[in-house]
Amino acid sequence: MSRLRIPDLPRSLVVRRVVALDNRVEIEVGLRKRSVLCPDCQCPTQRVHSFYQRKLADLPWQGRPATLFVSVPRFFCQ
């Protein structure tokens, strides 16, 4: 199997895992930042409540269908 080149991602995302199968490519990414500002009080928080995952179908990558899995944390306000 040939080596796959990871496409450029926004700086806020980091590649966690790439699975290159014969018939498709799966890429799992997550947020680089581990803290956010509360939209109500504007205080920073790092307390993670849970994670949810978004699944995005993309154009073929090197001739194979590609799926991007984005893992996004939900935070608690301090």
Side-chain angles (χ1 to χ4, degrees):
M1 185 179 303
S2 64
R3 183 164 171 82
L4 296 172
R5 182 187 170 281
I6 304 297
D8 294 333
L9 289 173
R11 293 182 60 100
S12 60
L13 296 177
V14 61
V15 175
R16 304 265 188 237
R17 185 173 66 99
V18 176
V19 178
L21 304 170
D22 290 336
N23 60 347
R24 69 182 186 279
V25 176
E26 296 179 352
I27 305 165
E28 184 179 322
V29 299
L31 292 179
R32 191 176 300 273
K33 289 174 55 173
R34 288 295 178 187
S35 68
V36 296
L37 293 179
C38 172
D40 294 328
C41 70
Q42 299 300 310
C43 291
T45 183
Q46 296 179 339
R47 292 181 56 201
V48 175
H49 173 272
S50 60
F51 286 87
Y52 64 97
Q53 193 173 67
R54 298 282 191 223
K55 179 179 172 182
L56 309 167
D58 202 354
L59 294 172
W61 185 32
Q62 295 187 355
R64 297 178 228 172
T67 304
L68 184 68
F69 295 94
V70 183
S71 183
V72 181
R74 289 186 177 128
F75 292 93
F76 277 119
C77 180
Q78 306 265 9

